[in-house]
């Protein structure tokens, strides 16, 4: 489970959606599909057309994984900080009703605008 008091995912880079599909697709509801996928060193974040799924890879071997489902319907607000000249990373912070906030930090080549459009289309 995400620790909403210190929830931060750093240096997420875009990866092919198929990389996480075998791990998360058994949890999908009818009609759910991956829109975008990102990975840090070991952990991942998957944006579907229904929710955000965070994957926390645990243990030495990485076989144990913790999945947290964050439905778009529970997002109260979100904030984006785009990359600049010296700070090349982008940040997305989401506030969830009754839970707290989660911050995602993306590398410079991530299309954060597209992520915001996706979130906005489900939240607004």
């Amino acid at each position: 489970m995400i620790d909403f008091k210190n929830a931060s995912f750093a240096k997420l880079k875009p990866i092919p959606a198929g990389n996480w599909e075998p791990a998360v697709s058994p949890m999908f509801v009818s009609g759910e599909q991956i829109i975008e996928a990102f990975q840090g060193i070991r952990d991942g974040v998957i944006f579907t057309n229904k929710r955000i799924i965070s994957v926390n890879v645990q243990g030495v071997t990485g076989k144990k994984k913790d999945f947290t489902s964050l439905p778009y319907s529970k997002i109260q607000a979100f904030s984006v900080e785009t990359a600049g000249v010296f700070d090349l990373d982008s940040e997305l912070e989401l506030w969830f009703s009754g839970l707290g906030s989660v911050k995602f930090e993306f590398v410079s080549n991530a299309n954060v605008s597209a992520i915001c459009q996706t979130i906005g289309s489900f939240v607004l």
Side-chain angles (χ1 to χ4, degrees):
M1 178 71 162
I2 292 177
D3 175 10
F4 284 93
K5 290 184 174 62
N6 300 310
S8 182
F9 292 82
K11 304 295 184 196
L12 294 168
K13 62 180 179 190
I15 60 167
N19 289 17
W20 282 112
E21 191 166 8
V24 297
S25 63
M27 294 180 278
F28 284 1
V29 298
S30 179
E32 187 170 10
Q33 52 189 277
I34 296 174
I35 296 172
E36 295 198 50
F38 298 88
Q39 185 164 350
I41 295 171
R42 291 176 46 158
D43 298 338
V45 177
I46 299 97
F47 291 84
T48 76
N49 60 332
K50 305 278 185 189
R51 59 186 157 171
I52 302 166
I53 300 172
S54 74
V55 183
N56 180 3
V57 179
Q58 301 175 348
V60 176
T61 64
K63 294 217 182 258
K64 183 177 180 180
K65 295 174 180 66
D66 173 66
F67 298 92
T68 301
S69 175
L70 305 165
Y72 294 123
S73 63
K74 298 297 180 190
I75 295 175
Q76 295 290 283
F78 63 95
S79 166
V80 67
E81 181 180 299
T82 59
V85 175
F86 296 109
D87 183 10
L88 300 177
D89 297 333
S90 301
E91 294 179 1
L92 172 65
E93 190 163 6
L94 305 165
W95 285 269
F96 290 89
S97 174
L99 295 173
S101 67
V102 176
K103 184 183 285 188
F104 300 110
E105 184 179 323
F106 300 94
V107 295
S108 60
N109 65 340
N111 189 351
V112 178
S113 297
I115 297 167
C116 287
Q117 284 181 332
T118 298
I119 294 169
S121 69
F122 293 110
V123 173
L124 302 177

